[in-house]
Amino acid sequence: MTTVDPAPPPPMRLRELVFGAACAAAVRAAVRLGVPDALDDTPMTVDDLAASVKTQPHTLRRLLRALSCQGVFTEHPDGTFEHTEMSRLLREDDPHSLRYIALWCTEPWTWNVWPHLDEAVRSGRNVFEDVYDQEFFTYLNESASESAHVFNRAMTTSSEQSARDVALLLDLEGASSVIDIGGGQGHVLASLLEKHPHLHGTLLDLPGVVENADPRLRAGGALAGRVEVVAGDCREDVPVQADVYIIKNVLEWDDDSTRRVLANVRAAARPGARVVVIENLVDDTPSMRFTTAMDLLLLLNVGGAKHTRQSMVDRLTAAGLVIGGIRPVNAYLHAFECTVPD
């Protein structure tokens, strides 16, 4: 029977840390083999699981043993395996599924850029283009279609889950219009429009993104009559006036891109307009291990960064916005509530 280890002494903890790739690879392997989906509510033997996912029983047991000691699956004294709260999140049908997030964070390109982290730290810029001879998103869309699919599914999953939290947090009763800048497929916008029937909205993102907007926002959708979908790059222009501007997980590029987005919002917005910036922080959050890891991955692939509370405040005030408050959205997101001064 495999059990979750108690907190180990420092020498063993360091050994575990440097073998972190093995844990990430084990999660990826289990998802790609379909183990979380094959295992339902009833504990199963390794032989039955192996037959279901078409693997060798003895090697599948080794994989499950490695994951069980991390709390992903649990092994019973009779040798059967059962789901844990974490392993259920790897199922395709779980309402809070992290399946595609797990795949995205372990895509093949990640294994090739992580060893160059020292170079990125030394130079302060991304190393992705050195490794692949292409800019990150160009590589995804032109050279790695499977990875692009995983990325899109991961972002959709994340947006759908956080959209509900954003809609619960924001009170837009006094507003008549809202724009979601770099809003992806529009899950946040759709959630806000469903909550506030009086509201009209605009979704702004790149052409290849908004063409796959949430069906609720497209022609014939339930919210289409209250939405304008605009194809554009917020780093170049924000061509819409609105009462509320939402910028969620966008200000993670290089500093120049961040400055340009905020300047474009400031140029478009009327005095008194609200600007709500929603970001992961690398401090003041219970999810620092995840957020700081994502911060390093952003450095590697696009030269971007997750923000501290103070670095976000500095950028917003430098753009001329007045910060009225900072509130947690959930365990890993914070909302910076700002206004455009007179």
Side-chain angles (χ1 to χ4, degrees), residues 176-181 200-202 204 228 230 237-245 264-271 273-274 340:
S176 62
S177 58
V178 59
I179 176 173
D180 193 356
I181 297 170
H200 288 259
T202 302
L204 172 66
E228 182 181 6
V230 177
D237 189 25
V238 176
V240 176
Q241 282 197 337
D243 296 328
V244 182
Y245 293 76
N264 291 337
V265 170
R266 182 73 199 278
R270 294 182 292 261
R274 291 170 64 186
V340 176

Side-chain angles (χ1 to χ4, degrees), residues 4-198:
V4 178
D5 292 334
M12 184 52 65
R13 176 59 181 148
L14 183 58
R15 287 181 170 89
E16 291 175 356
L17 285 174
V18 297
F19 261 112
C23 183
V27 172
R28 180 179 179 83
V31 171
R32 286 172 60 86
L33 289 168
V35 176
D37 296 306
L39 183 59
D40 206 346
D41 294 330
T42 304
M44 291 179 66
T45 67
V46 172
D47 286 345
D48 288 343
L49 264 177
S52 179
V53 300
K54 299 179 174 56
T55 66
Q56 296 297 318
H58 65 285
T59 45
L60 180 59
R61 180 182 293 280
R62 292 164 64 181
L63 177 66
L64 291 171
R65 184 172 55 211
L67 288 168
S68 293
C69 68
Q70 300 286 350
V72 184
F73 304 111
T74 187
E75 183 181 6
H76 294 295
D78 63 359
T80 61
F81 285 86
E82 189 175 13
H83 270 301
T84 61
E85 187 175 350
M86 275 200 292
S87 64
R88 286 188 183 279
L89 295 172
L90 299 174
R91 288 180 59 92
E92 181 94 39
D93 61 1
D94 189 274
H96 304 289
S97 178
L98 295 178
R99 172 190 179 91
Y100 285 97
I101 299 293
L103 289 174
W104 167 240
C105 293
T106 56
E107 278 296 282
W109 65 266
T110 64
W111 306 107
N112 291 330
V113 296
W114 278 120
H116 299 275
L117 182 58
D118 57 325
E119 299 171 27
V121 171
R122 186 178 296 112
S123 67
R125 63 176 186 84
N126 83 76
V127 298
F128 191 93
E129 293 172 45
D130 295 336
V131 175
Y132 285 98
D133 295 321
Q134 284 182 297
E135 182 266 342
F136 178 70
F137 286 106
T138 302
Y139 168 81
L140 278 190
N141 293 316
E142 296 182 2
S143 304
S145 58
E146 182 178 348
S147 191
H149 170 72
V150 168
F151 173 75
N152 290 333
R153 290 294 300 271
M155 295 304 101
T156 296
T157 298
S158 180
S159 294
E160 288 174 343
Q161 293 170 357
S162 61
R164 295 187 288 268
D165 296 328
V166 173
L168 286 172
L169 176 79
L170 295 184
D171 180 5
L172 302 184
E173 288 301 329
S176 62
S177 58
V178 59
I179 176 173
D180 193 356
I181 297 170
Q185 295 174 326
H187 300 296
V188 169
L189 182 61
S191 293
L192 290 171
L193 294 177
E194 287 182 336
K195 180 182 177 183
H196 301 282
H198 68 283

Side-chain angles (χ1 to χ4, degrees), residues 190-239:
S191 293
L192 290 171
L193 294 177
E194 287 182 336
K195 180 182 177 183
H196 301 282
H198 68 283
L199 205 60
H200 288 259
T202 302
L203 174 65
L204 172 66
D205 213 316
L206 298 173
V209 177
V210 296
E211 69 182 15
N212 296 310
D214 189 306
R216 291 171 290 177
L217 306 180
R218 286 184 263 155
L223 302 171
R226 295 192 282 134
V227 176
E228 182 181 6
V229 177
V230 177
D233 186 341
C234 59
R235 292 171 294 185
E236 303 301 326
D237 189 25
V238 176

